[in-house]
Amino acid sequence: MFTTIHALLVQSWQTLFIALRALRRNKLRSMLTALGIIIGVASVVAMVAVGNGAQARIESQVAALGQNLLSIFAGSKNTGGVHSGIGSASTITLADAEAIRREVTDVVGISPEVSTTAQAIANGRNWSTSIVGESPDYLKIRDWKIDAGEMFTYREVRGAAKVAVIGSKTSRELFGPLNPIGQTVRVKGIPFVIIGLLESKGAGMGGQNQDDRLIVPYTTAMKRLTGERYLRSINVQIASADRMDSAQQQITSLLRQRHRLTNEKGDDFNIFNQKEIADTVGSISKVITLLLGAIAGMSLVVGGIGIMNIMLVSVTERTREIGIRIAVGAQPVAIKLQFLIEAITLSLLGGIIGVIAGVGISRLVGVFADFKAIVSPGSIFLAFGVSFAIGVFFGFYPAQKAASLDPIEALRYE
């Protein structure tokens, strides 16, 4: 038995050596054949990496909105047939916000929101920025930290104090490298004392720079800046993700009751559930990633067809050589194994080079895009697995054809 195993090992090694020697004999043709697999694998790795990176970027932007967040917007306004969009109607009030805080269970933070855009003037400079009226809970809801100074308190909200927390972008535009804490900014002729500097958060959903803003107490914004009696929206933080649907139902019932909406009337407000948004965005991102991978995978099939084509040409060119090998005692299985090894070697060689190229392309995308492409080990293993499978699948028919040649006809072949 040992002799038989040893003979099989020797025969396998000889077959492998013959197959590799045949590939080395036509180096250029072998590399061109492997090029299809290289392009295919590189495309799959790069496309999946880009898809994963884009998905992670979008998910981080959704997460930046806050934790367990429900956003309640006023309804849309329709004037003279012109639809003004969500948040334009005057339907959400401070009393609504207080009722939600008081009556809806699982609410752990709430921030009524008003906003406007105005020129901020300080330090001899002026800058057009977003002026946002919020409550002290806003930073906790948005999971946003203070880089320097502090957030205003409910005492300052009740007194409509002229204090503000400034975003890092706005701070750089108005004060440059200076510490903004204690400085005064004038908005619409009203002086605001900067008491806090926000930690940089970057771009948010829609590409808007979250750091370009000035946050003031919502009462201050309503009384001194906008003159509005209604809110643009209310941000509500729920205790846990599994309680968000229940809280949304409670808020919907409460607001419908407060706004005296009958069963025949639709809601005059809109509630956006962060969990639903995150789940929807995640599902869409996964589909896009799979689609990109599938499109790139088509080039792998093309590469496999190229391998089959060149192996069939190789069988035709080496018909006489195959006949001689069979005539001197080579078994058909050895002939089949030789051509299979050649096809698999070409495919795996293309896979290795393709993975390296794909990782390189992914890194290059990260340089020019605003997100980092994420190369997953799964996509690399998948690319190698597919490369091996393509070598076996597209190499089997040429190998079978070579092994089934009639030795007499093969020896006569010119």
Side-chain angles (χ1 to χ4, degrees):
M1 182 176 178
F2 177 78
T3 305
T4 304
I5 294 175
H6 181 265
L8 286 173
L9 290 174
V10 170
Q11 186 179 17
S12 299
W13 173 252
Q14 289 175 342
T15 302
L16 176 63
F17 178 76
I18 292 171
L20 295 178
R21 186 177 61 185
L23 292 176
R24 286 198 303 270
R25 195 163 52 223
N26 298 284
K27 293 179 182 178
L28 180 59
R29 188 170 73 180
S30 298
M31 286 304 300
L32 290 175
T33 304
L35 186 60
I37 299 297
I38 293 172
I39 294 173
V41 171
S43 299
V44 169
V45 173
M47 287 293 189
V48 173
V50 169
N52 289 338
Q55 179 179 345
R57 174 67 170 169
I58 294 171
E59 288 175 350
S60 68
Q61 289 181 338
V62 173
L65 296 175
Q67 297 297 320
N68 306 328
L69 175 67
L70 292 177
S71 297
I72 307 164
F73 288 86
S76 58
K77 182 168 62 176
N78 201 325
T79 306
V82 178
H83 191 75
S84 300
I86 292 174
S88 59
S90 301
T91 56
I92 303 293
T93 65
L94 282 176
D96 290 333
E98 288 302 320
I100 292 171
R101 184 198 301 274
R102 185 175 58 250
E103 300 181 31
V104 177
T105 57
D106 299 312
V107 171
V108 294
I110 188 166
S111 182
E113 181 173 295
V114 292
S115 63
T116 186
T117 300
Q119 289 288 124
I121 303 172
N123 195 36
R125 304 180 184 182
N126 67 82
W127 178 252
S128 178
T129 188
S130 296
I131 313 298
V132 187
E134 301 286 355
S135 82
D137 288 343
Y138 179 70
L139 296 189
K140 181 182 71 172
I141 292 172
R142 292 288 305 276
D143 192 24
W144 209 336
K145 294 180 174 56
I146 289 284
D147 196 41
E150 59 186 6
M151 184 62 169
F152 48 78
T153 65
Y154 274 103
R155 179 180 178 181
E156 289 160 318
V157 170
R158 288 190 294 268
K162 293 180 286 187
V163 294
V165 175
I166 194 170
S168 59
K169 168 71 173 176
T170 309
S171 176
R172 284 195 302 272
E173 295 296 338
L174 292 177
F175 301 105
L178 298 177
N179 184 356
I181 306 301
Q183 302 287 341
T184 300
V185 174
R186 300 186 72 84
V187 179
K188 296 185 177 181
I190 301 171
F192 287 84
V193 177
I194 304 297
I195 62 172
L197 172 65
L198 290 170
E199 187 179 80
S200 178
K201 210 166 190 180
M205 295 291 289
Q208 182 182 12
N209 192 337
Q210 300 179 92
D211 300 326
D212 189 6
R213 63 180 56 199
L214 202 66
I215 301 176
V216 301
Y218 62 86
T219 50
T220 306
M222 296 175 77
K223 291 179 181 179
R224 303 181 187 275
L225 296 177
T226 66
E228 296 176 352
R229 294 183 296 111
Y230 296 93
L231 299 172
R232 176 180 176 272
S233 63
I234 304 173
N235 296 309
V236 181
Q237 185 177 34
I238 308 304
S240 60
D242 58 349
R243 298 295 303 168
M244 290 183 70
D245 292 338
S246 173
Q248 183 173 344
Q249 292 174 4
Q250 292 181 56
I251 292 172
T252 300
S253 299
L254 176 62
L255 291 180
R256 286 187 62 84
Q257 180 184 354
R258 289 184 55 82
H259 297 180
R260 295 185 174 87
L261 298 175
T262 61
N263 293 334
E264 294 76 23
K265 292 184 178 180
D267 296 339
D268 60 356
F269 55 90
N270 297 273
I271 301 179
F272 292 92
N273 188 319
Q274 183 201 21
K275 183 175 180 295
E276 293 177 355
I277 295 173
D279 291 343
T280 302
V281 169
S283 298
I284 294 173
S285 299
K286 288 177 182 177
V287 170
I288 292 174
T289 301
L290 288 174
L291 182 62
L292 289 174
I295 293 173
M298 294 301 295
S299 57
L300 278 173
V301 177
V302 175
I305 294 172
I307 288 179
M308 177 183 281
N309 178 59
I310 207 67
M311 293 307 298
L312 287 172
V313 171
S314 181
V315 169
T316 302
E317 289 178 346
R318 294 153 62 188
T319 299
R320 188 173 180 83
E321 173 193 329
I322 294 168
I324 294 173
R325 288 197 63 202
I326 295 175
V328 297
Q331 296 296 317
V333 67
I335 302 296
K336 183 187 295 186
L337 185 61
Q338 173 189 339
F339 282 88
L340 266 178
I341 289 174
E342 290 183 28
I344 292 171
T345 301
L346 282 173
S347 190
L348 288 181
L349 177 64
I352 293 171
I353 298 174
V355 166
I356 296 172
V359 173
I361 293 171
S362 301
R363 297 284 176 84
L364 195 61
V365 168
V367 173
F368 295 101
D370 63 345
F371 62 89
K372 181 181 179 182
I374 301 174
V375 180
S376 65
S379 64
I380 293 177
F381 291 136
L382 177 63
F384 272 123
V386 171
S387 297
F388 179 80
I390 284 175
V392 173
F393 181 80
F394 288 99
F396 183 81
Y397 175 70
Q400 181 66 36
K401 183 178 180 181
S404 61
L405 285 176
D406 184 286
I408 296 175
E409 294 297 328
L411 287 171
R412 289 176 179 173
Y413 184 82
E414 293 295 338

